[in-house]
Amino acid sequence: MLNMTVIYFISYLYLRTSLKLMFAFCLHSDEGLSKHPVSLETLYPSIKIKVYFALFISGKSKEAEIKRINKELANIRSKFKGDKALDGYSKKKYVCKLLFIFLLGHDIDFGHMEAVNLLSSNKYTEKQIGYLFISVLVNSNSDLIRLINNAIKNDLSSRNPTFMNLALHCIANVGSREMAEAFAAEVPRILVAGDTMDSVKQSAALCLLRLNRTSPDLIPMGEWTSRVVHLLNDQHLGVVTAATSLIITLAQKNPDDFKTSVSLAVARLSRIVTSASTDLQDYTYYFVAAPWLSVKLLRLLQCYPPPEDAAIRGRLTECLETILNKAQEPPKSKKVQHSNAKNAVLFEAISLIIHHDSEPTLLVRACNQLGQFLQHRETNLRYLALESMCMLASSEFSHEAVKTHIETVINALKTERDVSVRQRAVDLLYAMCDRSNAKQIVAEMLSYLETADYSIREEIVLKVAILAEKYAVDYTWYVDTILNLIRIAGDYVSEEVWYRVIQIVINRDDVQGYAAKTVFEALQAPACHENLVKVGGYILGEFGNLIAGDPRSSPLIQFNLLHSKFHLCSVPTRALLLSAYVKFINLFPEVKGTIQEVLRADSQLRNADVELQQRAVEYLRLSCIASTDILATVLEEMPPFPERESSILAKLKKKKGSGTVSDMEDSRKERSTNVNGSNDHIVTTSPSSDLLGLGHTQAAALNSASPPVTSNAASLLVDVFTESLPVVPPTSIIEENFSRFVCKNNGVLYENQLLQIGLKSEFRQNLGRMYVFYGNKTTTQFLNFSASLVCQDLNIHTTPADPVVDGGAQLQQVFNIECLLDFVEAPVLSVHFRYGGSMQNISIRLPITLNKFFQPTEMTSQEFFQRWKQLGAPQQEVQKIFKAKHSMDTEVTKAKIIGFGTALLDGVDPNPSNFVGAGVIHTKTIQVGCLLRLEPNTQAQASCSVKRTHIHAALYTLMTINCNIDYCSTDISKGKIKIFKCIFKSQHSQNK
Amino acid sequence: MRFMLLFSRQGKLRLQKWYVPLSDPQKKKISREVIQMVLARKPKMCSFLEWRDLKIVYKRYASLYFCCAVEDQENELITLEIIHRYVELLDKYFGSVCELDIIFNFEKAYYILDEFILGGEAQETSKKIVLKAIEQADMLQEVGPIYFMKAFSARWAI
């Protein structure tokens, strides 16, 4: 046995020096005699561990490895559980073994406690292994976090820089919310303290950056922020590098607080770019002065507009020019590291130039520089040049300059071997396209489409469709292009694309005849894509009459052509064809008999599919009983579609996230014209309303009998749709349903075409539990699903959400809420997930409001008014007079007040039309009693007033809630009373 | 930077560092996906990949792939050089580093990484300073394995 293992070991280790092997050999034979004097083990402690590791890797089969590991785990577990207390060394050894096993890819579910114990050891290696174990293996919601935090706290206050660094590294590696809570105040203090060592400062800066990324709400801004900015002036470039990273993150959040960093960053950058390459000593990397720091400084400057101060601005321009000049100098080294570092700075400088978008000469110079890279032999540079140029194309100053490279880019599309580079070329062609080169670019993209990788076909289809529409002067070209798209890549043509071509044909009568002729010809092909059948069916159904004069495309031939495809198509397409047939009956009375025959066939009238059956029955009946006039009205040509933004564009934006593409569209909007006929403005509506509009007309083509009805129905549908589909920029917080939840706890909070979010919640005193249900409305999976809450005055525990939500499935997440303080801002729920190719981000304000923590209090009339009078001080009362939007219903108002959380005190107020309520708001720290009186006034006057505590914050919150109650009561109440007066009083009492 | 992975040509993960909170199954899934994708790349292809909403920057050194996932707007070339500087640090510390060094001395590989990159951003880009910090830490050890090795390798080299 011993020999066997040694052989494995040797055979594996031959790769490495024979030296290590010798020791392993010696020690291995030693391991057999475990009762050997301990001295050897203490002398060379880790060697044994390493031998042990080697044995693992040398294992022949997976099974053998697993067997061996299980044995080891059992051994370690028994050691940990054993009666004999382990000394620090053995503990370290076993924790290290566990870590190793984990890193081999096996699960470890014990040893955490031992690792935590190691943290308090004063031996450096033991501490170090303990910290490593924790940063690799402990996830943020572990129960051990308190113990870990304690150990970290001790190390942070140890004033031993090595220990402090270990502790800071651990915080930065774990970065959990609990850690942020524990150290958010301490870390900034360490960062700006005068006596902190440089290396600790660096760790503290990045530690703070990490905490700020995970829990931005917990990082207190304050006096330290200005001192952080001044770290940009620090002597030590390592400190400057770390501080710059931190400032970038903070400045993205609060740009105003860090404005002063601009001039300091420019000064620093200027010193770096003008320095001789030896000045910065070890910070010079392959003859490039401080490349990391330069990139960071340039990135920091991209958080701000160009500096207003002319001197700073001039200095920055000089820096950028110097960087551009350096790119033209011969390289100082042939090493790729030299060119990478130099170009990294150059690309970042170009990003800044594009971001400022104000210096035409710099923009054009940048463009020329990138043009050189387009033909560079390094694939990486070609890729990056294409990517940057895409940004340059959207600037009006450099758009023309970018266009001069069109041939090179087209060539890249044809010759690049790497699909990711070709993808960049497609993006760039799309970005540089305008009226002058649209035909060429579209033609190139179409021909590329035939050989393009499947992964990017759909995107190219969308891009071609958009360009063809946007720059079409001649709509016959547009129709040809789209039909070509369907021919070449029918499977990748999404609904939006063919919906759009139909809309455009319907809206532009100059192209209808041509479209009918072209689809008729295209349908002649023996095998044509189903999407073509759809387009063909729709267009011939509408405009077949325009080509019926030609005997080669007589009505009967048209019909037979369409019907020859019928059996090969899916149900939705067949449904569409049936509608086309009934339209034919109107257009061409001569084929009525033939079509009725078809409709009457058993395969139609008794079709298993309800929709098809219904259409067949109804269309047949209609054609039999209706007079020609009625038929003509019912089956009239479709009215033009309303102007709206191309849904394809919306789709592409969605596909690409809200990134560069949409920005590009925005900045170039003025250049574009809309294909929707005369109107040059792009009307923005919700992206899917096109779909719906068309889907609706398709199904209800009959309804066009009475135009007003159609438009009513359509607008109704559109209304319903737009209500549930707000066009929300991804960053803004959705609050539309928020107020509805002030007085109720369950219901649907949010819904769009992908996702529905429902709530169910219960509250008791200062605690609450909220169940959030995420329903996937699509048939596709949501991937990387995550949902998190950001809030300050509430302590919220979340169950982790499953990262995958299957199509049609519902995911439940539970939030346990504890109200710590009176609060104003309700927490925001951020939901992220990947749907199709794009990332979806939704932020919704969760209706956790202060009034949820009301406990109702019953009172007699005497008690009530006694307290009411006591609360006389002006800061204890809020009063508001407001008009009711609707008339009021007593019962509804009562329900509202109960829903609001207070007790409804009946018969307390001498005036029976007044409503009176009382309750206590429970928070962890204080309890606040509140009284409420709502005085509806039938004549004209009514007001709502609140008596509130002398605590300023509570005063504020009640105001907010007060506004909410008026919103709610005015919203729903029905009655005759137009105006309310609502009085709130509250007294503040300390808990216990 | 969101995460960094080191893996062998056979797809064995040798070092992983996550700068975003993720659950273990998520980490495993992501690693598998990224490793598969990078291993499928041919030589001479560009070192950048778009993956989900991130960019993967990778480079191969002998049998090991070094791979970083960075945010979309991050500078790709400088990330490539972050990888290179890390390799240089390992190389200098271990004396022409090989995959086995990283397997056996994984804790050192992690410490060096922590000194160099923290929270996903470069902490100290000077090679000398990073190595000095690690060596000082080694001095604090009772009798470190590396010291032991180095002392002997020096003797044997004669």
Side-chain angles (χ1 to χ4, degrees):
Chain A
M1 169 65 204
L2 185 80
N3 278 343
M4 280 282 285
T5 23
V6 171
I7 290 164
Y8 285 161
F9 190 43
I10 294 176
S11 60
Y12 194 80
L13 272 195
Y14 75 95
L15 297 160
R16 199 59 186 138
T17 59
S18 55
L19 245 181
K20 286 186 183 175
L21 197 140
M22 287 293 286
F23 285 113
F25 193 86
C26 303
L27 275 159
H28 187 80
S29 47
D30 190 74
E31 199 184 36
L33 315 159
S34 57
K35 283 156 216 118
H36 216 72
V38 212
S39 60
L40 196 82
E41 213 188 27
T42 40
L43 246 178
Y44 317 123
S46 303
I47 290 297
K48 251 183 104 169
I49 298 180
K50 294 206 171 6
V51 171
Y52 162 86
F53 294 163
L55 290 177
F56 274 125
I57 324 171
S58 61
K60 249 186 185 164
S61 64
K62 189 86 188 161
E63 292 78 45
E65 184 186 304
I66 290 176
K67 214 170 152 192
R68 168 94 214 217
I69 282 171
N70 285 339
K71 204 174 137 201
E72 267 314 313
L73 286 177
N75 177 35
I76 298 173
R77 193 170 290 160
S78 73
K79 292 275 190 227
F80 283 163
K81 279 194 180 153
D83 306 329
K84 217 176 70 191
L86 291 174
D87 61 354
Y89 166 70
S90 339
K91 219 180 267 175
K92 180 191 93 173
K93 187 172 77 182
Y94 293 125
V95 167
C96 191
K97 282 182 178 183
L98 283 180
L99 197 50
F100 182 77
I101 293 173
F102 175 77
L103 292 172
L104 279 182
H106 302 269
D107 290 330
I108 296 293
D109 55 0
F110 68 103
H112 300 72
M113 199 58 207
E114 284 72 18
V116 174
N117 286 343
L118 284 177
L119 296 185
S120 41
S121 161
N122 46 15
K123 284 201 179 136
Y124 180 72
T125 33
E126 289 169 18
K127 204 187 257 300
Q128 212 180 16
I129 289 290
Y131 272 125
L132 183 60
F133 185 91
I134 282 158
S135 49
V136 173
L137 255 151
V138 172
N139 48 15
S140 51
N141 46 13
S142 162
D143 321 329
L144 293 170
I145 214 87
R146 271 170 220 277
L147 290 173
I148 298 170
N149 280 358
N150 262 339
I152 292 178
K153 208 164 268 170
N154 287 338
D155 280 336
L156 281 185
S157 50
S158 70
R159 308 192 66 75
N160 173 339
T162 323
F163 287 3
M164 284 172 91
N165 270 340
L166 274 184
L168 287 169
H169 290 180
C170 181
I171 303 176
N173 283 329
V174 178
S176 66
R177 211 172 157 79
E178 288 82 358
M179 284 200 175
E181 273 162 8
F183 303 109
E186 181 67 12
V187 179
R189 204 157 41 232
I190 295 175
L191 175 60
V192 297
D195 57 347
T196 307
M197 294 214 0
D198 286 335
S199 67
V200 179
K201 261 188 208 167
Q202 285 165 275
S203 301
L206 294 178
C207 183
L208 195 56
L209 173 142
R210 172 69 199 267
L211 293 183
N212 186 63
R213 277 191 190 152
T214 37
S215 324
D217 52 307
L218 291 179
I219 308 296
M221 290 293 147
E223 181 254 350
W224 61 273
T225 50
S226 63
R227 297 174 65 180
V228 166
V229 173
H230 283 279
L231 288 179
L232 288 175
N233 269 336
D234 202 282
Q235 292 279 316
H236 191 290
L237 281 190
V239 174
V240 185
T241 312
T244 314
S245 297
L246 174 64
I247 295 170
I248 292 172
T249 327
L250 296 173
Q252 279 163 351
K253 204 173 67 174
N254 306 315
D256 287 346
D257 292 356
F258 294 90
K259 244 183 190 153
T260 45
S261 64
V262 172
S263 60
L264 294 176
V266 171
R268 192 92 222 193
L269 182 68
S270 154
R271 265 181 285 162
I272 293 171
V273 294
T274 53
S275 68
S277 58
T278 48
D279 286 358
L280 303 173
Q281 292 166 351
D282 208 32
Y283 289 94
T284 299
Y285 179 84
Y286 291 88
F287 305 102
V288 182
W292 283 281
L293 180 54
S294 310
V295 166
K296 296 256 173 239
L297 291 169
L298 288 163
R299 178 140 293 268
L300 171 59
L301 292 170
Q302 286 170 60
C303 300
Y304 293 95
E308 279 158 24
D309 182 320
I312 300 174
R313 195 174 171 150
R315 203 163 172 198
L316 177 58
T317 308
E318 263 171 41
C319 286
L320 295 171
E321 275 169 350
T322 317
I323 294 171
L324 285 170
N325 291 340
K326 278 189 182 167
Q328 294 299 327
E329 287 170 13
K332 293 199 177 83
S333 154
K334 279 189 178 146
K335 287 253 165 76
V336 67
Q337 282 77 26
H338 170 69
S339 92
N340 277 354
K342 192 164 121 178
N343 292 327
V345 178
L346 176 66
F347 275 108
E348 205 60 55
I350 292 177
S351 293
L352 179 62
I353 293 170
I354 296 171
H355 170 78
H356 284 172
D357 197 13
S358 58
E359 299 271 354
T361 38
L362 285 179
L363 281 161
V364 171
R365 277 193 69 182
C367 184
N368 294 338
Q369 182 60 53
L370 294 177
Q372 289 180 17
F373 285 151
L374 283 182
Q375 283 162 311
H376 203 278
R377 59 187 169 80
E378 279 271 329
T379 317
N380 287 347
L381 284 181
R382 294 198 301 275
Y383 175 95
L384 294 174
L386 288 167
E387 189 182 56
S388 284
M389 220 177 228
C390 210
M391 305 296 291
L392 272 177
S394 59
S395 161
E396 54 173 321
F397 300 116
S398 50
H399 183 74
E400 286 305 314
V402 171
K403 272 168 65 185
T404 58
H405 298 287
I406 183 165
E407 295 302 335
T408 323
V409 182
I410 288 173
N411 200 34
L413 200 59
K414 289 176 178 158
T415 57
E416 282 293 347
R417 278 189 292 171
D418 186 345
V419 52
S420 33
V421 184
R422 290 198 297 269
Q423 165 88 61
R424 290 284 85 83
V426 171
D427 288 348
L428 178 53
L429 282 181
Y430 176 75
M432 67 161 69
C433 189
D434 62 17
R435 191 145 299 187
S436 70
N437 55 19
K439 281 201 174 168
Q440 186 189 5
I441 287 178
V442 166
E444 291 295 345
M445 280 176 143
L446 272 176
S447 72
Y448 173 58
L449 191 56
E450 305 205 33
T451 54
D453 307 76
Y454 296 113
S455 55
I456 58 174
R457 281 196 181 184
E458 188 184 351
E459 199 180 313
I460 299 178
V461 167
L462 289 175
K463 285 185 165 153
V464 170
I466 290 169
L467 293 179
E469 172 182 336
K470 201 156 149 189
Y471 300 115
V473 188
D474 164 9
Y475 283 92
T476 59
W477 174 70
Y478 170 74
V479 171
D480 286 341
T481 307
I482 301 294
L483 290 181
N484 261 332
L485 266 187
I486 297 176
R487 187 178 54 77
I488 297 169
D491 286 341
Y492 299 90
V493 172
S494 55
E495 287 186 328
E496 286 88 343
V497 174
W498 72 262
Y499 283 177
R500 190 67 185 159
V501 68
I502 287 173
Q503 281 175 16
I504 287 168
V505 169
I506 286 175
N507 287 11
R508 302 196 56 101
D509 39 24
D510 53 337
V511 77
Q512 288 159 356
Y514 180 79
K517 183 162 159 283
T518 323
V519 291
F520 178 77
E521 279 161 12
L523 282 171
Q524 305 283 344
C528 46
H529 195 272
E530 191 165 331
N531 278 335
L532 183 67
V533 178
K534 289 179 186 162
V535 176
Y538 203 105
I539 288 184
L540 290 181
E542 294 293 325
F543 309 113
N545 56 332
L546 299 176
I547 55 168
D550 188 328
R552 282 166 300 174
S553 52
S554 72
L556 191 61
I557 295 177
Q558 283 185 40
F559 172 74
N560 286 336
L561 181 61
L562 278 183
H563 199 55
S564 68
K565 315 283 180 196
F566 187 88
H567 304 281
L568 303 170
C569 294
S570 62
V571 170
T573 312
R574 288 192 201 183
L576 185 147
L577 285 179
L578 287 179
S579 298
Y581 296 168
V582 77
K583 289 236 162 182
F584 269 8
I585 292 181
N586 174 44
L587 289 180
F588 316 117
E590 62 266 39
V591 293
K592 183 171 173 179
T594 323
I595 291 173
Q596 280 176 333
E597 198 70 20
V598 168
L599 292 176
R600 206 173 280 129
D602 271 359
S603 60
Q604 309 295 357
L605 280 187
R606 301 197 177 166
N607 196 298
D609 186 90
V610 184
E611 177 70 28
L612 291 182
Q613 196 186 80
Q614 188 178 354
R615 285 196 190 206
V617 171
E618 288 177 1
Y619 292 166
L620 181 61
R621 200 77 199 119
L622 180 76
S623 69
C624 295
I625 57 167
S627 72
T628 337
D629 281 355
I630 294 181
L631 264 186
T633 332
V634 173
L635 301 170
E636 202 181 28
E637 196 178 295
M638 290 295 293
F641 285 88
E643 309 282 328
R644 46 167 79 114
E645 184 189 13
S646 163
S647 56
I648 312 175
L649 206 59
K651 170 133 184 176
L652 185 69
K653 278 181 197 171
K654 220 166 83 184
K655 227 177 133 51
K656 277 262 155 180
S658 53
T660 52
V661 180
S662 60
D663 298 344
M664 232 144 60
E665 293 311 325
D666 290 343
S667 57
R668 292 180 55 196
K669 215 170 234 178
E670 67 264 54
R671 256 196 290 274
S672 71
T673 43
N674 194 339
V675 82
N676 257 342
S678 54
N679 197 336
D680 266 7
H681 294 283
I682 293 178
V683 184
T684 315
T685 53
S686 84
S688 340
S689 56
D690 278 20
L691 248 141
L692 189 84
L694 206 98
H696 162 75
T697 28
Q698 221 188 81
L702 288 172
N703 283 357
S704 55
S706 45
V709 175
T710 323
S711 64
N712 258 345
S715 64
L716 235 168
L717 258 166
V718 169
D719 282 349
V720 168
F721 223 61
T722 42
E723 194 189 33
S724 61
L725 279 180
V727 183
V728 182
T731 46
S732 76
I733 297 168
I734 299 160
E735 301 187 341
E736 56 164 4
N737 284 341
F738 180 79
S739 55
R740 292 189 199 161
F741 283 86
V742 168
C743 296
K744 67 171 188 175
N745 287 333
N746 307 328
V748 174
L749 177 65
Y750 174 73
E751 186 160 11
N752 66 12
Q753 69 267 57
L754 303 177
L755 175 74
Q756 186 190 54
I757 300 179
L759 295 183
K760 217 172 127 183
S761 46
E762 53 200 30
F763 295 88
R764 205 168 161 269
Q765 302 208 322
N766 69 325
L767 301 176
R769 176 170 296 164
M770 182 173 264
Y771 297 87
V772 182
F773 300 91
Y774 307 95
N776 181 345
K777 292 170 65 181
T778 69
T779 50
T780 349
Q781 279 187 334
F782 293 163
L783 298 172
N784 298 38
F785 189 91
S786 76
S788 56
L789 264 190
V790 180
C791 63
Q792 282 161 336
D793 301 314
L794 296 168
N795 191 359
I796 298 187
H797 287 276
T798 316
T799 56
D802 198 334
V804 175
V805 187
D806 286 325
Q810 200 179 49
L811 176 77
Q812 176 189 315
Q813 198 179 20
V814 186
F815 295 105
N816 286 318
I817 307 144
E818 183 185 20
C819 176
L820 301 173
L821 271 176
D822 44 305
F823 61 97
V824 183
E825 280 273 285
V828 174
L829 177 72
S830 320
V831 182
H832 311 278
F833 59 91
R834 173 171 292 274
Y835 168 72
S838 66
M839 205 60 204
Q840 306 283 330
N841 299 314
I842 300 167
S843 297
I844 306 163
R845 205 169 281 288
L846 265 196
I848 304 175
T849 46
L850 188 57
N851 68 302
K852 301 287 181 199
F853 302 98
F854 254 127
Q855 283 292 112
T857 317
E858 294 295 337
M859 283 182 195
T860 62
S861 176
Q862 196 193 353
E863 282 170 339
F864 182 87
F865 283 100
Q866 197 180 358
R867 293 191 190 192
W868 187 264
K869 278 173 198 140
Q870 278 168 2
L871 299 167
Q875 74 272 25
Q876 288 181 315
E877 182 177 322
V878 194
Q879 177 164 337
K880 191 171 163 127
I881 300 177
F882 53 90
K883 285 192 177 170
K885 283 187 197 147
H886 307 284
S887 46
M888 190 181 87
D889 180 329
T890 318
E891 287 313 309
V892 172
T893 311
K894 281 183 176 172
K896 283 262 150 202
I897 291 176
I898 293 169
F900 188 61
T902 58
L904 179 73
L905 304 178
D906 252 341
V908 164
D909 199 295
N911 181 346
S913 65
N914 286 353
F915 301 95
V916 167
V920 178
I921 290 177
H922 287 256
T923 73
K924 196 182 176 191
T925 44
I926 54 167
Q927 295 184 2
V928 185
C930 290
L931 306 176
L932 167 139
R933 195 170 177 208
L934 188 66
E935 301 173 3
N937 186 326
T938 14
Q939 264 72 56
Q941 294 297 316
S943 72
C944 172
S945 76
V946 190
K947 290 231 167 173
R948 87 196 94 80
T949 87
H950 48 273
I951 293 181
H952 221 77
L955 180 151
Y956 222 82
T957 39
L958 286 175
M959 278 264 257
T960 339
I961 293 170
N962 184 20
C963 295
N964 285 332
I965 201 182
D966 85 49
Y967 177 83
C968 305
S969 42
T970 51
D971 197 14
I972 303 186
S973 34
K974 290 183 181 113
K976 288 193 172 164
I977 301 157
K978 293 281 184 224
I979 298 174
F980 300 91
K981 179 177 177 188
C982 177
I983 308 166
F984 248 119
K985 293 195 181 192
S986 67
Q987 122 272 350
H988 156 235
S989 66
Q990 215 69 43
N991 202 2
K992 286 168 201 170
Chain B
M1 193 188 296
R2 301 285 184 87
F3 58 85
M4 185 174 195
L5 302 176
L6 261 68
F7 49 90
S8 69
R9 228 162 38 152
Q10 291 76 36
K12 269 260 178 200
L13 200 53
R14 294 304 182 202
L15 183 143
Q16 44 176 325
K17 191 83 192 176
W18 303 85
Y19 298 107
V20 277
L22 290 169
S23 68
D24 283 343
Q26 275 175 310
K27 286 181 188 170
K28 277 195 179 151
K29 196 168 159 247
I30 291 175
S31 324
R32 219 179 310 129
E33 215 172 295
V34 170
I35 291 175
Q36 215 172 31
M37 211 167 54
V38 172
L39 288 179
R41 306 274 297 171
K42 297 190 191 78
K44 294 260 176 175
M45 280 189 161
C46 81
S47 316
F48 320 123
L49 279 178
E50 279 193 341
W51 176 75
R52 303 198 184 176
D53 54 339
L54 298 178
K55 272 191 292 211
I56 305 286
V57 178
Y58 72 93
K59 187 158 181 179
R60 185 178 153 182
Y61 288 87
S63 61
L64 266 191
Y65 283 88
F66 289 68
C67 162
C68 298
V70 295
E71 286 85 2
D72 186 44
Q73 68 281 40
E74 198 78 27
N75 192 310
E76 295 94 339
L77 285 174
I78 210 75
T79 312
L80 212 48
E81 292 319 296
I82 286 236
I83 293 178
H84 187 75
R85 172 72 5 137
Y86 182 48
V87 174
E88 282 184 351
L89 287 167
L90 292 173
D91 206 50
K92 189 97 182 174
Y93 183 78
F94 289 112
S96 84
V97 65
C98 75
E99 194 180 333
L100 283 176
D101 289 316
I102 294 171
I103 300 170
F104 288 156
N105 300 295
F106 66 92
E107 79 282 15
K108 291 291 168 202
Y110 276 99
Y111 298 147
I112 296 175
L113 188 59
D114 272 350
E115 284 295 331
F116 177 40
I117 302 170
L118 192 60
E121 303 287 342
Q123 174 174 218
E124 179 52 75
T125 58
S126 155
K127 198 154 71 178
K128 276 184 199 151
I129 297 182
V130 173
L131 289 172
K132 215 171 95 194
I134 296 288
E135 270 161 29
Q136 271 173 352
D138 282 345
M139 300 279 265
L140 289 173
Q141 301 196 10
E142 298 87 344
V143 179
I146 297 302
Y147 266 86
F148 176 75
M149 289 278 192
K150 278 195 175 159
F152 272 85
S153 52
R155 207 184 293 167
W156 280 74
I158 296 167

